[in-house]
Amino acid sequence: MDKLRTMKTKREKIYRELVRATAQIDSSISGLEKCVLIVSVAYLNAKGIENQPKDNFGRTMFRILETKNEILKIVLPIVAKIIKDLPTKVYQEVVDLVNELDGSSVAMFIQQYLDTTFKRMYSGMTSSGNINDLLVKLANIKANDEILDPTCGIGGTLLAVVKNNPHQRIYGQDINSVCIAITEMILEINGSTDYHLFIGDTLSNPYYIQDENLKKFDVVITEPPFVSQFDKDLNKNDKYNRYSFGTVPLKKADWGFIMNAINSSKELSGRAIVLLPTGALFRGGSENEIRQNILKNDLFEAIISLPGGLLAGTAVPTSVLIFNHDKSPDQKNKILFVKVPKESLVQEGKGTKLTDESIEKIVTTIQSFKEIKNYSMILPNNQVSTKNMMVERYIKKTVYNFDNQKYYINLIDFYNGNTIALKNVSKIDRGYNMVSKNENPEGKYWIMKISDIDSKSINYDKMSRGDVEGRTKVDNYELQDGDIVMTVRGIFKLLMAKNVKDKTLINSNLVRLRVNPKLYNPDFLKLFLDSPIGRAQLDSITVGTTVRQIPIKTLSEYQLPQLSLEEQEKVVHNYLQEINEIQSEMNKLQNLKKKIIKNYIKKWAWKGYTKRMEKQIMIYNFYGFKIILKRSDNKVIYRYENVVRPDEINFRHNEKYVLEYNNGDAHALSKLIETNSGLVHSFANRYSSYLGSGLSKEDLVQAGYIGLIKAVKRYDSKKDNKFSTYAYWWIRKEILDEKDSINLTIRIPSHKAATIKLIKLLENQSMELYGRVNISWICQKANVDEKQYRYLSQVDREKSKPMSLDHSVSDNENGQLADTLPDTKQSIQTIVENDFLREDLYKQLHQRLTQREAKVIIERYDFDNHGQQTLSEIGQELGVTKERIRQIEKHAIDKLRDIDGLRDYFLNN
């Protein structure tokens, strides 16, 4: 074990030095090209050619590769470009460091280098070695199996296959030629003897062809790029008929990659393993149709939900989808769902990975096709909804923590009871998106934010005022007594509105529930939303990895107990009665406590104390009370008040938990945070003076927790300082950053905000010293150039007044800023130009629409090829307003939606 740890430490040291050495290569050389140099050095080493002089390196590479295939020849001009201006000292340093690494370590360095140094730039080309191992183990590969990775990037998955069997026949394709060249060299370095690689777009032009047909494989493993476009012509014109389960959306190619993987595997025995963002499991439209058709063919074997943060450059949760053409009898017409908990992750460097034990548990569960409580579940196909195939829909967590209390809740039991959707008893409206330019102290409306409410009342003292855009339907946002207000973003807050002032609007982080009292009791609804079961259900529909958000569409399906109004009123009455009784008893106990303290003071504390008092006023803490003594006329006058005490701060186990965390114990992280939570609350109280700046106490606590988590992850126990001292700095930093960013629509990074603050200070000093703003002197002191100074000054001026996309840019207010910005994404206007609409939709225009409706559609969507017309232009031509043209357009499209052949198109777009 010690030997392995020493080897790992040595390898990590070499990695750091190699990163530092490559940083000295000309900045015009891309990260991927630098990787070509590193792999080329390792490639020559594997051929027995070591320590080539710089001047001879390019010629040696040419001699070795001139007889190779065209793929490897791609590296020759790249190597020549790098070597040309590379200092000899840097070249030799790179060579010496690479010589100390074996083939597997070189591949690992390339992956880590692209992930950590260039982050998301190369995210579609790399994948964690940890993830590659999982996917390969899930594939259960046999010695004679042929393996395909149609989006192989730099070959991480193929290398994981080769490690187990160097003679495995493997195939790979990628659109990036440099990636394929790197993959081939890495595979050769690691001893692969039977590989076949291709360059090209897999979706439009697969090169793994056999007898003019698509070659079929025993196993297909792929991790497609997360953001890919899909060529609209491929849905109909793919010559290999790979997209047979439905129409792939043009902006999301996820299910295109999935269908390619399924149809590239052998029809009777093949398997496909695909890693994708979890969003592919619940997006609607044509993607839902694809899921339905794959489910009808009984190809789903398993869906595995992985925690977020496993992939470099993104915290997006991912899922592994396993498809099988040859399911066993026990698996027929069933799907296995597996939910991998966050506790399965451990920290590794700057990222996280799955533990070996968790990988083994995942693989064993899939291969045995078994259920494990709160971990895996088997469902018949007819019980699976393709509208949402997320694992979390079927495997609910059962342990929840609310208000420092732990609850065990099974939501499945609740859903199986008699329930009704929230949308059926209440109107649900999200708040108004107020931009800073419309905020005005003399504005017509009160604008309620999260910080303006607590669980009992509305605070108008610090509430902003403002105006709204002219055509805004204020009724959708205006609050009245009896409405329920709830946060849908950030910290959870819930309020029954009372004493609402006229013209009070809620902002976009809040939602208004206006209950129909004939169908449901508003007081009962509030009690249920705030109950453990209600909170657990809200937790289950919450999305977002850093900021909590509740989608309004999902909230509308929130389930409530279906009770009669009489039963609801009885529950509310009994609850309020019990609360009043408890409050009465608490008041009695509080008064008794005060009486005991008072008597104790008289008998013991201060009798004859006047002569010994050293100060005019002395303050003591005594059993939860603050005792204030004041000397007056040779007598001691005392009074006492409650002390707001933070949670008990216990640092005794900090060093122990830090050591456990550094050794890979993921649970130690939560222990550290829980142990030091009192520290967060203590500092939140200390900085409560910031509450007047728009921050709530909860905002300070939330910022403090973020600082605490950062401190836990960055703390080095080897350095001579206590954890609490280290955490203090991070907590304070996050609270101050939160204060600086409050009320800003666009948040400025903290290091830039610090520079701006310094520049403003220097500007004031410059006025005192020179009587003017001396830019050169300020730039010298702030260590910035003049261009940076002007840019940061502009940011400071404009940070609180971003321009809305609805801003008018013409005198008659017909044009908006959004209309002047280019839209690089596909939209419905682009979609209508496809062949389907040319042939079928155009035929229906004059048959189903009036002459004016047909003219609006033709000119609006450019069916006559004379250029797309705006609403205003068509309105001027027909002599009506822009709004009237919008109404005609909507009415015409509604008619077209009713046509059988076109209904699916409009539903999907």
Side-chain angles (χ1 to χ4, degrees), residues 199 345 354 507 546 549 631 657 707 712 722 801 816 908:
I199 301 171
L345 300 181
L354 291 166
N507 85 336
T546 55
Q549 298 183 65
R631 186 167 60 187
Y657 292 153
V712 170
K722 292 184 177 180
K801 50 179 181 181
Q816 296 178 335
N908 296 335

Side-chain angles (χ1 to χ4, degrees), residues 494-511:
L494 184 69
L495 170 72
M496 174 71 78
K498 296 179 181 178
N499 302 319
V500 178
K501 293 186 179 181
D502 190 32
K503 300 188 183 305
T504 299
L505 309 183
I506 58 172
N507 85 336
S508 56
N509 291 332
L510 300 170
V511 67

Side-chain angles (χ1 to χ4, degrees), residues 259-275:
M259 287 190 283
N260 173 70
I262 292 174
N263 288 313
S264 296
S265 58
K266 291 183 178 179
E267 295 176 359
L268 298 179
S269 61
R271 299 181 78 204
I273 293 90
V274 187
L275 176 72

Side-chain angles (χ1 to χ4, degrees), residues 458-604:
I458 303 170
N459 181 12
Y460 282 94
D461 294 341
K462 303 293 182 180
M463 192 180 295
S464 303
R465 294 186 70 93
D467 298 305
V468 299
E469 301 291 340
R471 296 180 180 177
T472 302
K473 295 182 179 179
V474 177
D475 291 344
N476 292 337
Y477 314 111
E478 194 163 10
L479 200 63
Q480 66 184 33
D481 285 357
D483 288 341
I484 297 174
V485 180
M486 186 177 72
T487 55
V488 289
R489 191 173 189 273
I491 193 168
F492 176 78
K493 287 186 179 182
L494 184 69
L495 170 72
M496 174 71 78
K498 296 179 181 178
N499 302 319
V500 178
K501 293 186 179 181
D502 190 32
K503 300 188 183 305
T504 299
L505 309 183
I506 58 172
N507 85 336
S508 56
N509 291 332
L510 300 170
V511 67
R512 181 192 71 184
L513 306 179
R514 184 161 290 173
V515 185
N516 184 343
K518 295 180 180 180
L519 300 175
Y520 220 76
N521 186 311
D523 292 308
F524 180 83
L525 174 58
K526 179 182 180 295
L527 287 179
F528 180 77
L529 288 169
D530 206 19
S531 69
I533 293 179
R535 294 277 296 275
Q537 194 179 166
L538 288 172
D539 183 81
S540 71
I541 63 175
T542 297
V543 298
T545 54
T546 55
V547 179
R548 164 192 173 275
Q549 298 183 65
I550 300 177
I552 300 301
K553 185 176 181 180
T554 310
L555 181 63
S556 66
E557 299 294 337
Y558 182 92
Q559 296 298 304
L560 303 169
Q562 191 165 12
L563 304 175
S564 67
L565 284 172
E566 292 76 13
E567 290 175 307
Q568 296 176 38
E569 290 170 359
K570 185 177 179 180
V571 170
V572 173
H573 174 76
N574 292 339
Y575 172 81
L576 294 177
Q577 187 176 7
E578 291 182 14
I579 287 295
N580 290 334
E581 291 174 359
I582 293 171
Q583 189 61 49
S584 176
E585 292 299 320
M586 289 177 64
N587 291 338
K588 290 179 182 179
L589 291 173
Q590 189 72 1
N591 291 332
L592 179 60
K593 185 177 181 180
K594 289 182 179 180
K595 184 177 180 180
I596 293 172
I597 295 294
K598 184 176 181 180
N599 292 334
Y600 198 74
I601 290 172
K602 287 182 178 179
K603 292 180 180 179
W604 170 76

